[in-house]
């Protein structure tokens, strides 16, 4: 696969924040940089690692149930809840390893962690999200949408969070294994997708503030339908003026788990008032819109489309990137720039994009107590782009861009 072989390989322990790391004796002190470094530098060789072996191990994958459909699932009312599936994929990397070693599937189940693991104490973790779609019964098999992009984004995030990351090849292979092992949970065509959730966490024990000495890459999956309870219908958003999602120099541009608990409060408050989600403003001027809690934003006015430029405070969505290209293919001028509140409220059309939400039209935005309305429904650009994108993802249209990856 040409697209994969050209991918940049990140050497996990090569550097972190400019500290060169020698994998020879004591070289990790540069990384750990604290008094605890000396103790932690021994990693698992010194620290007890009883919890390492506690993961449910898969002696032999039981494939007898794989071709039966997903039990008694109501495929028509999936939503975005967690339906546990059969298998998860686990791969580890310890201090001193050249990278992640070969991972394996195990039965889906709880993971045991040291109470002093880096992820539990300091939030050293990243997640990803992508979907596998069932192809038509004539074609058979499944498709993934741009999984190398998720792998690369995880590598960028890992660099920011001082973690080693799987190679693009390891990531995509692991995703495929997870899909195949859970194939009976991939919804029928048109009913949804198998949502795949890769995690990269600092699983090793550490006390002083420093990167963990061991990392776990884990993938689980769950069948999903639509993200918002509104389904494919348009949503109402509330502009949040007090709480900010990201700041310049922070981690808003990477998918770290640390970004999400802080936005639960404004999100829950907005939901209690009947809004589907919150729109965040830039924390400096409180004048430029950034994105929603888990999706990017587009505004349309006349023949021009604009989306906030990603400069560290906005998550660079793969759906966003794809929609920019699809809108340009349709002859629209698409600008990545600052999008002010004025640009937003005077737009003809507004929509959100993300793996989970797809392309979701926004019918109203409420800012400082005023509700602004936008065009939705037939003859909107968001509807056209939704069709363009989902046709490629579900294998209904020819994939001229090489965005889909087959899993057979
Ligand atoms: C994941 C995410 C998105 C969407 O990214 P996709 O790659 O399109 O799924 C947008 N914003 C935030 C904050 C996210 O976490």
């Amino acid at each position: 696969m040409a697209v994969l072989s050209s991918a940049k390989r990140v050497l996990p322990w090569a550097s972190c924040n400019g500290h060169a790391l020698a994998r020879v004796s004591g070289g990790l002190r540069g990384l750990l940089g604290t008094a605890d470094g000396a103790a932690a530098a021994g990693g698992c060789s010194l620290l007890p690692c009883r919890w390492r072996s506690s993961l449910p191990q898969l002696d032999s994958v039981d494939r007898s149930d794989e071709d039966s459909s997903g039990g008694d699932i109501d495929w028509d009312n999936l939503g975005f809840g967690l339906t546990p599936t059969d298998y998860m994929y686990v791969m580890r990397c310890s201090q001193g390893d050249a990278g992640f070693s070969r991972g394996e599937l195990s039965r889906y189940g709880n993971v045991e962690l040291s109470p002093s693991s880096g992820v539990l104490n300091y939030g050293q973790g990243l997640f990803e999200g992508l979907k596998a779609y069932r192809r038509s019964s004539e074609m058979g098999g499944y498709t993934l949408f741009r999984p190398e992009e998720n792998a690369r984004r995880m590598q960028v995030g890992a660099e920011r969070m001082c973690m080693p990351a799987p190679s693009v090849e390891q990531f995509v292979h692991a995703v495929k294994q997870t899909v195949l092992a859970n194939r009976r949970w991939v919804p029928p065509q048109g009913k949804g997708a198998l949502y795949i959730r890769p995690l990269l966490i600092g699983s090793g024990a550490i006390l002083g503030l420093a990167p963990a000495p061991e990392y776990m890459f884990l993938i689980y999956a769950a069948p999903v339908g639509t993200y918002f309870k509104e389904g494919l219908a348009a949503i109402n958003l509330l502009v949040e003026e007090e709480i900010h999602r990201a700041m310049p120099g922070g981690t808003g541009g990477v998918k770290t788990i640390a970004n999400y608990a802080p936005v639960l409060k404004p999100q829950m408050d907005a939901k209690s008032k009947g809004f589907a989600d919150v729109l965040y403003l830039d924390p400096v001027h409180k004048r430029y819109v950034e994105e929603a809690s888990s999706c990017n934003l587009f505004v349309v006015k006349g023949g021009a489309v604009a989306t906030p430029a990603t400069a560290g405070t906005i998550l660079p969505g793969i759906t966003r990137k794809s929609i920019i290209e699809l809108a340009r293919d349709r002859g629209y001028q698409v600008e990545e720039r600052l999008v002010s509140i004025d640009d937003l409220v005077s737009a003809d059309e507004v929509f959100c994009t993300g793996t989970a939400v797809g392309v979701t039209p926004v019918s109203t935005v409420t800012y400082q107590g005023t509700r602004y309305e936008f065009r939705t429904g037939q003859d909107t650009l968001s509807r056209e782009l939704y069709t363009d994108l989902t046709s490629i993802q579900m294998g209904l249209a020819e994939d001229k861009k090489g965005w889909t990856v087959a899993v057979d």
Side-chain angles (χ1 to χ4, degrees), residues 149-348:
E149 294 282 338
N150 297 89
R152 284 190 206 104
R153 187 166 66 190
M154 180 167 269
Q155 292 181 335
V156 171
E159 157 73 17
R160 178 69 179 82
M161 304 298 286
C162 283
M163 299 194 280
S167 68
V168 173
E169 293 84 349
Q170 284 176 319
F171 183 103
V172 175
H173 175 76
V175 168
K176 288 180 175 176
Q177 294 294 302
T178 309
V179 172
L180 289 175
N182 293 302
R183 66 180 75 175
R184 72 190 181 106
W185 298 99
V186 186
Q189 233 194 10
K191 303 284 186 192
L194 186 70
Y195 183 77
I196 299 150
R197 173 53 64 81
L199 294 174
L200 178 62
I201 59 172
S203 49
I206 193 93
L207 187 57
L209 179 57
E214 187 188 279
Y215 294 86
M216 185 192 287
F217 173 72
L218 190 151
I219 308 181
Y220 67 91
V224 296
T226 59
Y227 182 80
F228 293 117
K229 70 171 170 39
E230 289 80 355
L232 296 178
I235 56 169
N236 300 306
L237 296 177
L238 176 65
V239 177
E240 170 61 48
E241 293 179 73
E242 291 302 319
I243 293 178
H244 297 284
R245 186 191 162 268
M247 63 190 169
T251 54
V254 297
K255 232 170 158 68
T256 171
I257 60 171
N259 288 342
Y260 299 86
V263 299
L264 290 175
K265 191 173 162 55
Q267 193 206 39
M268 294 312 284
D269 288 349
K271 284 194 173 168
S272 73
K273 294 177 199 151
F275 297 97
D277 204 349
V278 166
L279 267 184
Y280 291 100
L281 294 177
D282 81 279
V284 179
H285 310 280
K286 296 185 187 272
R287 239 195 92 207
Y288 300 101
V289 278
E290 299 210 311
E291 60 177 319
S293 311
S294 63
C295 48
N296 297 115
L297 185 82
F298 284 78
V299 298
V300 186
K301 183 148 181 137
V305 181
T307 187
T310 54
T313 56
I314 293 171
L315 201 286
I318 297 158
T319 320
R320 174 187 177 278
K321 181 174 172 177
S322 308
I323 286 294
I324 290 173
E325 207 173 314
L326 292 172
R328 285 185 179 144
D329 290 351
R330 280 190 169 269
Y332 285 84
Q333 178 203 335
V334 185
E335 288 182 334
E336 296 180 68
R337 59 166 165 88
L338 289 174
V339 175
S340 68
I341 271 287
D342 298 333
D343 294 331
L344 172 70
V345 302
S346 63
D348 301 331

Side-chain angles (χ1 to χ4, degrees), residues 21-45:
L21 284 185
R23 284 199 285 116
V24 288
S25 58
L28 281 155
R29 286 187 201 200
L31 168 71
L32 298 160
T34 68
D36 298 290
C44 273
S45 54

Side-chain angles (χ1 to χ4, degrees), residues 125-146:
L126 291 166
F127 72 95
E128 269 302 328
L130 65 161
K131 284 173 172 174
Y133 299 84
R134 189 180 285 278
R135 284 197 298 229
S136 65
S137 44
E138 305 88 72
M139 292 177 76
Y142 315 89
T143 40
L144 296 168
F145 186 70
R146 310 186 80 174

Side-chain angles (χ1 to χ4, degrees), residues 73-154:
I73 296 191
D74 179 3
W75 295 117
D76 291 312
N77 294 292
L78 271 177
F80 212 79
L82 178 65
T83 306
T85 54
D86 301 323
Y87 299 104
M88 60 188 187
Y89 187 93
V90 182
M91 185 161 67
R92 293 172 187 275
C93 176
S94 297
Q95 218 165 56
D97 291 353
F100 278 86
S101 54
R102 227 168 52 81
E104 58 190 353
L105 288 164
S106 64
R107 273 278 168 190
Y108 178 82
N110 293 349
V111 176
E112 190 175 315
L113 287 173
S114 162
S116 58
S117 63
V119 64
L120 290 182
N121 291 260
Y122 303 124
Q124 198 187 15
L126 291 166
F127 72 95
E128 269 302 328
L130 65 161
K131 284 173 172 174
Y133 299 84
R134 189 180 285 278
R135 284 197 298 229
S136 65
S137 44
E138 305 88 72
M139 292 177 76
Y142 315 89
T143 40
L144 296 168
F145 186 70
R146 310 186 80 174
E148 325 80 35
E149 294 282 338
N150 297 89
R152 284 190 206 104
R153 187 166 66 190
M154 180 167 269

